[in-house]
Amino acid sequence: MRYGVYRLKKWAALAVCIALFFIISVAVNTAGAVPAASQAGRQIPIYSVETQEMKVSLGFNCAWDNADIPELIAILEEHGVKATFFISGGWCEKYPESVRALSGAGHEIGSHSNTHADLAKLGKKAIIEEIVLCNEKIKAATGASPTLFRMPSGSYNKLVIETLREQGMIPIQWDIDTVDYKDPPPEEMRANIRKNLRKGSIILLHSGAKNTPAALPGILADIKAAGYTAVPVSQLILDEPYRLDHEGRQHSIATR
């Protein structure tokens, strides 16, 4: 009799353990459905995308001058590529004709904050102002408000990411940095991309960088030669529900 009671208690304990494991698994998957990674409370942006498609994206930051915009548009047009241009509010205000030219050429316009401030050093009210004012300027120039946002200098913290998402913005980083702002030779930029390119990569470039126009034709040729298609960021990233791993790589969550 005691043996039977013991076995019953043993099976009951095992059933409780299985139930707890199931509950924890569901909780983890549910938490992952939130468009953010939670690593000890961290909030991070999208750096790249886990995908089976041979797609990558070019993301240009625009906060300096606009002298190379016509050339960048012409090169991208020649190669049949659409890119995403992350524009600061100050740049938009100073060069509205360039913003309209980019939009008119079919390129995607994202936000790069209003004043190119270090958002990680700002409070919530100031962060919201950086988002709203830049969006208003871009909408005035193009007729549409952006939904993608790239932090100046890639600087962010939990508050920045939470505030961006509360404002309906999708924070975008990159997994390949051309370091074009340091004026490396074009071939060095190309080699860096060839070495690190993978499905779902997001590549960081800048308008106003000395050697970017010279490197761009080769970069686009290398991407094509490797079998990839370059698309705007919004055509690369996944819809919800998704999860982000510790590297900020976006993964789809299968829905039932």
Side-chain angles (χ1 to χ4, degrees), residues 54-58 80-83 220 223 228-232 235:
M54 296 291 287
K55 291 182 179 181
V56 299
S57 288
L58 303 177
V81 170
K82 303 301 180 186
L220 297 176
I223 289 172
Y228 293 98
T229 299
V231 299
Q235 294 181 25

Side-chain angles (χ1 to χ4, degrees), residues 38 70 116 158 231:
S38 179
H116 204 264
K158 183 178 180 181
V231 299

Side-chain angles (χ1 to χ4, degrees), residues 152-211:
S153 305
S155 178
Y156 67 90
N157 56 21
K158 183 178 180 181
L159 177 62
V160 170
I161 303 304
E162 287 180 342
T163 305
L164 283 167
R165 290 191 169 117
E166 288 172 4
Q167 295 295 310
M169 304 299 288
I170 303 172
I172 303 294
Q173 290 283 82
W174 58 86
D175 66 333
I176 300 179
D177 187 353
T178 61
V179 200
D180 57 352
Y181 59 92
K182 292 185 177 180
D183 300 332
E187 182 49 46
E188 185 176 316
M189 294 168 60
R190 292 178 61 183
N192 180 35
I193 293 175
R194 288 195 300 267
K195 178 182 177 182
N196 295 290
L197 195 65
R198 58 177 174 167
K199 296 174 183 176
S201 280
I202 299 175
I203 303 166
L204 171 64
L205 302 113
H206 295 79
S207 68
K210 179 181 177 182
N211 293 326

Side-chain angles (χ1 to χ4, degrees), residues 10 14 26 100 105 130 189 206 233 235 237 243 246:
K10 181 179 178 180
L14 180 60
V26 171
R100 286 191 288 270
E130 288 286 334
M189 294 168 60
H206 295 79
V233 171
Q235 294 181 25
I237 60 176
R243 67 178 178 86
H246 68 284

